[in-house]
């Protein structure tokens, strides 16, 4: 029966969940330009981890890396036996970013980010309402139009400089 199938597929391996905040609000949320640079910085890190992410998923490990108005949030979940290896690879990618970003890939990620901001009006109304309420009610939340305007001023060297400042001065 169904109970037998469940018993055969239930591995009883411990699962873990790690949550890490990289925190430096004085740098990230001082204006819409640094907020935009933070977003590109996170998207470049995600891009570096794409192939490794697939291997992690096959092993039952998953991660999430998100830009926030105070820095970056990283969460790792899955089977705890190999979680430390996965986390180590993610952290080494974050801290070695300055030597890993290529200018060509930066331009591609920047263009993808631009298209994402431009297409935000096509998102479900629920998402648009959340963003608008955050913009109205939460300090240091910048409107998409402000971030889109600042995106054209962001250069490859700006992101490298930002990454260096962020990694030297953040709290965890």
């Amino acid at each position: 029966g169904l109970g037998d199938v469940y018993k055969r597929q239930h591995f009883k391996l411990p699962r873990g969940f790690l949550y890490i905040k990289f925190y430096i609000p004085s740098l990230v949320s001082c204006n819409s330009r640094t907020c935009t640079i933070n977003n590109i910085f996170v998207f470049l890190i995600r891009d570096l981890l794409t192939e490794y992410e697939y291997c992690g998923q096959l092993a039952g490990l998953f991660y999430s890396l998100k830009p926030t108005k105070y820095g970056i949030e990283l969460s790792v979940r899955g089977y705890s036996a190999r979680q430390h290896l996965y986390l180590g690879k993610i952290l080494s990618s974050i801290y070695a970013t300055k030597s890993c970003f290529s200018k060509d890939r930066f331009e591609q990620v920047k263009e993808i980010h631009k298209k994402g901001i431009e297409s935000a009006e096509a998102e479900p109304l629920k998402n648009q309402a959340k963003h608008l309420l955050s913009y109205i009610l939460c300090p240091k939340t910048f409107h998409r139009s402000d971030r889109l305007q600042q995106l054209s001023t962001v250069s490859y060297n700006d992101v490298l400089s930002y990454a260096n400042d962020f990694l030297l001065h953040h709290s965890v």
Side-chain angles (χ1 to χ4, degrees):
L2 186 59
D4 294 334
V5 171
Y6 176 74
K7 287 178 188 174
R8 280 184 261 145
Q9 292 181 354
H10 189 69
F11 298 109
K12 297 185 181 181
L13 293 173
R15 290 180 173 251
F17 184 86
L18 299 167
Y19 184 74
I20 300 170
K21 284 185 176 184
F22 300 87
Y23 187 81
I24 183 167
S26 60
L27 178 65
V28 176
S29 57
C30 62
N31 57 45
S32 59
R33 187 168 193 275
T34 56
C35 175
T36 302
I37 293 172
N38 186 55
N39 289 352
I40 292 173
F41 175 55
V42 170
F43 299 150
L44 283 167
I45 295 168
R46 281 193 213 158
D47 184 63
L48 289 173
L49 292 167
T50 301
E51 289 180 28
Y52 196 72
E53 178 182 15
Y54 177 71
C55 295
Q57 288 175 355
L58 291 176
L61 297 166
F62 305 91
Y63 88 96
S64 170
L65 188 67
K66 296 186 242 181
T68 68
K69 60 183 171 181
Y70 300 114
I72 299 172
E73 289 180 0
L74 168 66
S75 63
V76 178
R77 64 182 173 84
Y79 297 118
S80 60
R82 298 281 182 242
Q83 202 173 50
H84 66 284
L85 298 172
Y86 196 55
L87 178 64
K89 176 63 177 173
I90 293 168
L91 291 176
S92 67
S93 294
I94 290 172
Y95 286 102
T97 52
K98 190 168 183 175
S99 61
C100 296
F101 295 153
S102 72
K103 191 167 187 170
D104 291 337
R105 199 60 194 143
F106 161 77
E107 293 296 336
Q108 292 170 354
V109 167
K110 182 178 168 182
E111 186 62 28
I112 291 168
H113 184 53
K114 179 182 177 185
K115 288 178 182 176
I117 294 173
E118 289 173 341
S119 66
E121 292 179 9
E123 288 182 353
L125 290 177
K126 169 177 80 170
N127 295 353
Q128 291 183 44
K130 281 183 194 177
H131 175 72
L132 191 56
L133 282 174
S134 291
Y135 173 68
I136 293 169
L137 299 174
C138 300
K140 305 293 184 183
T141 300
F142 302 101
H143 197 270
R144 289 179 178 135
S145 62
D146 296 334
R147 293 192 342 246
L148 183 61
Q149 185 179 11
Q150 292 299 323
L151 190 60
S152 62
T153 68
V154 175
S155 71
Y156 176 69
N157 290 328
D158 291 335
V159 175
L160 292 181
S161 176
Y162 176 86
N164 191 40
D165 287 346
F166 184 90
L167 296 171
L168 286 176
H169 300 105
H170 73 281
S171 299
V172 177

